[in-house]
Amino acid sequence: MSIGEEAPRTRRRPRGDVRAGLVAAGVELARTGGPDAVVLREATRIVGVVPNAAYRHFADRDELLAEVCTVAMNELADRMAADIARVRGKRGNPGAAQRRLGAIGTAYLRFAHEEPGLFATAFAVPQQHGYNDRTPLGLLRDALDELVEAGALDPQRREGIEYPIWSIVHGTAVLTGQGPLRDAPDLRQIESLSLAFIANSLT
C-alpha cells in the first residue's frame, strides 16, 4: 500500500445476515447429521464469524436448534403440500379427497427416507416450535375435513382422529427409516400396508 492510501475497511455483516446465516448453517448440519450435529461453534465456522458472535443472536445451542427444527418441519410441510397439489379433482370429490389423504402419507414417508437428518431434527423440539400456518398436522386435518365434506368419513368419527393417523405414519417412518425395520426387504410394502390400513379404517 503506497503512502497516502487508506487501509481497506473490513466489511461488517448486517446482524440479520449473520442470524440467517447461522440458521442456514444449522439446517445443513442437521441435513447431514441430524439434531445432534447442530452445534453453535460449527455453525459460526461455516458462516465465517467468531464463535462468540452466535451469542448475539441465540442464547444457547437449544435456541438455534429450535429455529432449525422449525425450518425442517416447514420443509416437510412444503413437500406434503406440493404432493397434495398434484392430485387432480375438485375439493369435495370423494375419490380426490381420498387420494389427497394418501398423498400426505406418501410425502411424509418419502421425506423421512430422503432427508433423514432433517426428519429427525423436525421432531427434536427443544422448545415450542414457531410453525407457520401450513404444518403437517394442519394439512392432515384439512384432508380429513375434506373427507367429511365429501361424505367419505362419518362426521362422528372425525374428532381427534388425526392423532392416531399421524402416529401410524410417523411410527412407520421411524421404524423403516432408522429403526429396526430399516433393512427389511419389503419396506415399500410395509409402507403401502400402513397407508392402506389407514384408508380402510376410515371407510
Side-chain angles (χ1 to χ4, degrees):
M1 184 175 64
S2 61
I3 298 175
E5 288 186 9
E6 292 186 4
R9 295 180 181 178
T10 302
R11 183 176 178 274
R12 299 188 62 175
R13 298 170 182 261
R15 286 181 62 83
D17 286 357
V18 174
R19 181 182 177 85
L22 291 170
V23 173
V27 170
E28 291 312 307
L29 290 169
R31 193 183 301 277
T32 57
D36 291 342
V38 181
V39 180
L40 279 170
R41 180 174 290 274
E42 183 62 15
T44 58
R45 186 193 67 77
I46 293 171
V47 174
V49 296
V50 296
N52 286 344
Y55 295 101
R56 300 188 193 117
H57 307 277
F58 302 100
D60 52 28
R61 179 255 183 183
D62 277 357
E63 194 169 292
L64 171 62
L65 179 58
E67 291 272 355
V68 175
C69 287
T70 299
V71 173
M73 185 67 82
N74 290 341
E75 185 167 332
L76 170 57
D78 288 344
R79 299 275 190 98
M80 293 167 66
D83 276 24
I84 293 169
R86 293 189 187 99
V87 177
R88 295 185 177 181
K90 293 182 178 180
R91 184 177 179 88
N93 176 280
Q98 291 169 339
R99 290 193 297 275
R100 278 188 272 274
L101 178 64
I104 284 175
T106 300
Y108 195 96
L109 293 169
R110 187 189 309 119
F111 183 84
H113 290 299
E114 291 180 353
E115 297 284 2
L118 288 185
F119 183 76
T121 303
F123 300 98
V125 291
Q127 63 187 48
Q128 183 60 43
H129 283 274
Y131 301 136
N132 60 25
D133 292 335
R134 189 166 65 174
T135 66
L137 182 57
L139 293 168
L140 175 58
R141 284 172 170 160
D142 185 62
L144 292 168
D145 289 343
E146 185 187 5
L147 284 175
V148 173
E149 295 170 21
L153 174 62
D154 185 341
Q156 295 184 346
R157 299 185 60 207
R158 169 64 190 89
E159 185 175 358
I161 203 170
E162 60 266 32
Y163 299 114
I165 290 174
W166 189 7
S167 298
I168 291 171
V169 177
H170 186 79
T172 301
V174 172
L175 289 171
T176 60
Q178 304 299 312
L181 296 180
R182 62 183 180 275
D183 296 323
D186 51 356
L187 287 179
R188 295 299 171 259
Q189 183 181 7
I190 293 171
E191 294 175 353
S192 295
L193 287 171
S194 297
L195 297 179
F197 178 82
I198 292 171
N200 293 336
S201 70
L202 295 177
T203 57

